[in-house]
Amino acid sequence: MAVLILSHEHDSTAHRVQQHIEHLGGQAVLLNPAAFPQRISLSARVRETTPWQGTIQTTHGPLPFDAITSVYVRRPHHYHIREGYPETVERFLENEAMKGFGGILRSLSCLWMNDLEAIRRASFQPFQLTLAASLGWHLPDTLITHDPEAFLAFWQQQEGRVIYKPLHGNFFPGGGHTYYTIYTSLVGEELLSQREGIRETAHLFQADIPKCYEIRATVIGETVLAVGIDSQRAHASRQDWRASYQDVRSWVEPLPREVEQRCIALTQALGLLYGALDLIVTPSGDFIFLEINPNGQYGWLETETGLPFSRTIATVLLRGGNSA
Amino acid sequence: MIQRDFEASVRPVIPAHPFELPSRPFGLHFARKNVAVPQDLTCDKGTKTDADTTGGDGSTPNPNSNEVLDWMDDD
């Protein structure tokens, strides 16, 4: 019996989980789809009466499909096609690898952390917000629009306390080794004259909620590991603590049982086994839901707080079962 | 040309905008140049948005990396 960890070779977080699985007496195989077909191989056959039968030949040895009881989707890389082909041929080869190799992995009937369709569904913030509200979470007043005048009316209604954050990831490639990050930011009055640019695509604006501090609550199965983050201590981290890690401190934050249950309920409603929720605690003590990330990082929080993220993930993965 | 404008128009600390277009995408007003580039950002195209570190290696952890479906998506 084995846990298949889909990630790249330098993923130190995946290595931690792998070590915990092995420490708990299980077997874990780290596999990067990017290594197919150069360094790993696969042959599989399906018949009317039997599911896919076959073995993945990894650099560490063979892994039969029927030995895989859980799959942990961490940070798999895209397929790496041998160089030298024209781009159109490269695309064809990549797509065939994805549908063939990826398709067989996808057909494994076992525990998935997380289920791929669930990750996709959860990646839509508007869907998250609707679901969270239906489960009783308080939300910031939110506007998604490409209409500059709708934005202006919202900005005025909120008396200028409005933030912008991207709907799809916050990394922006700049070419070469240059990358840009779009952090959650207050929309200052000086940018109102630029609002015509809102027409270009959908933009998400929210009321700027007063913060006492913030919480990253990570749900793993039915366990919630919550960490408080003092984002308000320094100016640079007030709107988005990711913008200035050196300024924030974190601590173990026991959540009220009812809030903990709501974290679990939202994660399960999204079909996820793992979810990282970002919450605000207001000066009056209310918990406000911002978003949930189906594959949020936790490594640095494990280091800072000592909370057992990796071990809890390993324990859930070793239980196996079926995600459906 | 776009690449050159992109590089030239960005400063690390002040608000930066990558494109000089008549109507700039508003959200890109908030783009900031990465100061610490995570080690695996440049490994291959599958990781272009994956700041996949734990913060313990001197790089910037990205707690909201969503790009885990690259290996399975053609859309």
Side-chain angles (χ1 to χ4, degrees), chain A residues 6 8 11-13 16 33-34 73-79 90-91 94-95 98-99 102-103 105-106 116 119-120 164 168 170-175 177-183 185-187 191 194-198 200 203 205 216 241-242 245 278 291 293-297 299-300, chain B residues 2-3 6-12 15-19 21-57 59-75:
Chain A
L6 297 176
H8 61 86
D11 179 2
S12 54
T13 308
R16 287 191 202 183
V73 184
R74 258 290 300 174
R75 298 288 189 268
H77 285 180
H78 200 62
Y79 302 93
E90 214 173 84
R91 198 67 57 236
E94 282 178 3
N95 285 335
M98 175 183 65
K99 297 293 186 189
L105 288 183
R106 204 171 186 137
L116 298 170
I119 295 175
R120 183 190 303 281
Y164 165 81
H168 176 72
N170 66 335
F171 270 81
F172 188 83
H177 292 180
T178 308
Y179 286 82
Y180 296 83
T181 307
I182 305 175
Y183 295 114
S185 307
L186 202 59
V187 184
L191 282 175
Q194 305 295 318
R195 67 183 184 278
E196 198 55 28
I198 291 172
E200 301 302 313
H203 285 71
F205 302 103
R216 165 54 70 97
W241 45 262
R242 297 168 301 172
Y245 284 97
D278 287 326
E291 62 182 73
N293 190 295
N295 211 0
Q297 286 284 38
W300 92 105
Chain B
I2 287 174
Q3 178 61 38
F6 182 77
E7 297 285 352
S9 66
V10 172
R11 298 292 178 271
H17 203 290
F19 295 114
L21 297 172
S23 179
R24 298 168 169 182
F26 189 76
L28 295 185
H29 283 288
F30 305 102
R32 303 287 184 274
K33 190 172 185 177
N34 268 336
V35 178
V37 179
Q39 285 176 343
D40 65 350
L41 276 176
T42 56
C43 285
D44 66 38
K45 64 183 179 180
T47 65
K48 60 183 179 293
T49 55
D50 184 5
D52 184 18
T53 70
T54 62
D57 59 0
S59 52
T60 306
N62 175 18
N64 287 336
S65 177
N66 252 334
E67 308 297 323
V68 296
L69 295 173
D70 250 12
W71 65 287
M72 190 51 96
D73 277 0
D74 54 358
D75 56 5

Side-chain angles (χ1 to χ4, degrees), chain A residues 138-179:
Chain A
H138 294 300
L139 312 175
D141 198 351
T142 302
L143 172 74
I144 295 176
T145 187
H146 77 136
D147 178 354
E149 298 318 305
F151 156 74
L152 183 61
F154 183 73
W155 191 90
Q156 287 167 338
Q157 189 187 30
Q158 300 296 333
E159 298 176 334
R161 302 298 303 175
V162 170
I163 61 95
Y164 165 81
K165 67 176 182 178
L167 285 146
H168 176 72
N170 66 335
F171 270 81
F172 188 83
H177 292 180
T178 308
Y179 286 82

Side-chain angles (χ1 to χ4, degrees), chain A residues 25-76:
Chain A
Q27 185 197 356
V29 177
L30 180 66
L31 186 142
N32 187 357
F36 178 81
Q38 310 295 339
R39 284 175 285 125
I40 55 178
S41 63
L42 168 79
S43 285
R45 190 168 177 183
V46 69
R47 296 166 195 247
E48 284 177 24
T49 52
T50 54
W52 283 102
Q53 301 286 308
T55 298
I56 304 169
Q57 294 291 342
T58 75
T59 49
H60 303 292
L63 178 64
F65 296 157
D66 53 13
I68 300 169
T69 51
S70 306
V71 179
Y72 180 33
V73 184
R74 258 290 300 174
R75 298 288 189 268

